[in-house]
Amino acid sequence: MLKEPATKRGKATRDRLVAAADAMIAERGVEGASLDQILASADVSKSQLYHYFDGKDELVRAVIARRRAEIIGRQTSLLPELDSWDAIETWLKIVYEGHESHGFRGGCPIGSLANELADKDDRARLDLAEGFEAWQGLLVDGLKKMRARGEIKRSADPYELATAVFAAMQGGLLLAKTRREPEPLRIALDAARAHLRSYKTVRTK
């Protein structure tokens, strides 16, 4: 069970530990990041670790929660709502340019953990699924508003559309990461954009 610190000092220690684990996992993967390495990087003792976490598995779950909060926080600060064609277009551009700036290394912060953990740790898998749902929910909510305003067809299912977009994005990113080239992600996002726009209503005067 994840334990919340009772003091500011405790919170700072816990945050430092989770940040160190996040960085180590990003560099070496969950399997490659040992507890001893994480503790040394965070300058935290084992007794402090076990004060907040039952072990490495729960520390990894805290990393998942951290990444989820960072992704959603960053996106909502840039684009509070994905409820217009312009906003969606800007979001897709941000996604592409963000990964391009990192040379398509590292992949999706949530997706990379899902690739490693989904078949090994069911609690982590559920946390990751919730992370994707929360992130995807931002697009679902925006598409619902667009449908209510008549900007997409009434037959459109916002959840299915958002799922298609995220599936294309994650698949394109995985190929771009593997090939170390931008084309797979660009093609995948173009396909997602075209699929969304196929549901755009045609307004007549």
Side-chain angles (χ1 to χ4, degrees):
M1 179 179 180
L2 300 178
K3 307 174 184 69
E4 292 298 327
T7 65
K8 287 184 178 180
R9 183 177 179 181
K11 183 179 185 305
T13 299
R14 184 185 185 280
D15 289 349
R16 190 168 71 251
L17 178 58
V18 175
D22 193 350
M24 193 71 66
I25 288 169
E27 179 184 348
R28 304 182 183 185
V30 174
E31 289 296 322
S34 72
L35 272 182
D36 287 341
Q37 292 168 334
I38 293 168
L39 293 173
S41 177
D43 192 23
V44 171
S45 68
K46 278 193 176 180
S47 63
Q48 288 174 304
L49 166 71
Y50 288 110
H51 183 70
Y52 301 113
F53 304 102
D54 289 342
K56 184 178 177 181
D57 288 348
E58 288 205 342
L59 179 57
V60 170
R61 293 183 67 202
V63 170
I64 294 170
R66 183 178 193 263
R67 292 188 180 189
R68 167 182 170 173
E70 286 184 347
I71 286 176
I72 293 176
R74 183 164 59 247
Q75 182 170 318
T76 53
S77 68
L78 293 171
L79 290 166
E81 292 187 289
L82 295 175
D83 62 347
S84 70
W85 291 112
D86 286 344
I88 292 172
E89 186 63 38
T90 299
W91 172 59
L92 293 175
K93 182 179 179 182
I94 288 171
V95 168
Y96 180 84
E97 292 180 349
H99 289 290
E100 183 182 42
S101 69
H102 290 95
F104 299 96
R105 296 178 182 274
C108 171
I110 297 179
S112 60
L113 288 178
N115 286 335
E116 188 172 0
L117 296 173
D119 291 334
K120 299 177 181 178
D121 184 333
D122 206 48
R123 290 196 305 170
R125 179 188 65 78
L126 291 172
D127 288 347
L128 289 161
E130 288 178 1
F132 272 126
E133 285 292 309
W135 187 12
Q136 183 175 314
L138 300 175
L139 181 56
V140 173
D141 290 344
L143 291 172
K144 285 180 178 178
K145 292 177 181 178
M146 293 171 69
R147 186 178 62 180
R149 294 196 302 262
E151 294 170 8
I152 61 175
K153 297 174 183 177
R154 294 188 63 81
S155 60
D157 183 318
Y159 183 81
E160 289 187 2
L161 287 177
T163 298
V165 170
F166 272 76
M169 179 173 67
Q170 291 297 317
L173 181 54
L174 179 60
L175 288 175
K177 174 184 175 180
T178 304
R179 297 178 185 176
R180 289 284 192 269
E181 60 182 39
E183 285 304 289
L185 182 58
R186 181 190 63 76
I187 292 169
L189 294 181
D190 283 348
R193 182 185 294 107
H195 183 60
L196 281 178
R197 287 192 172 273
S198 72
Y199 286 87
K200 185 176 182 180
T201 54
V202 178
R203 295 186 177 275
T204 58
K205 295 183 179 179

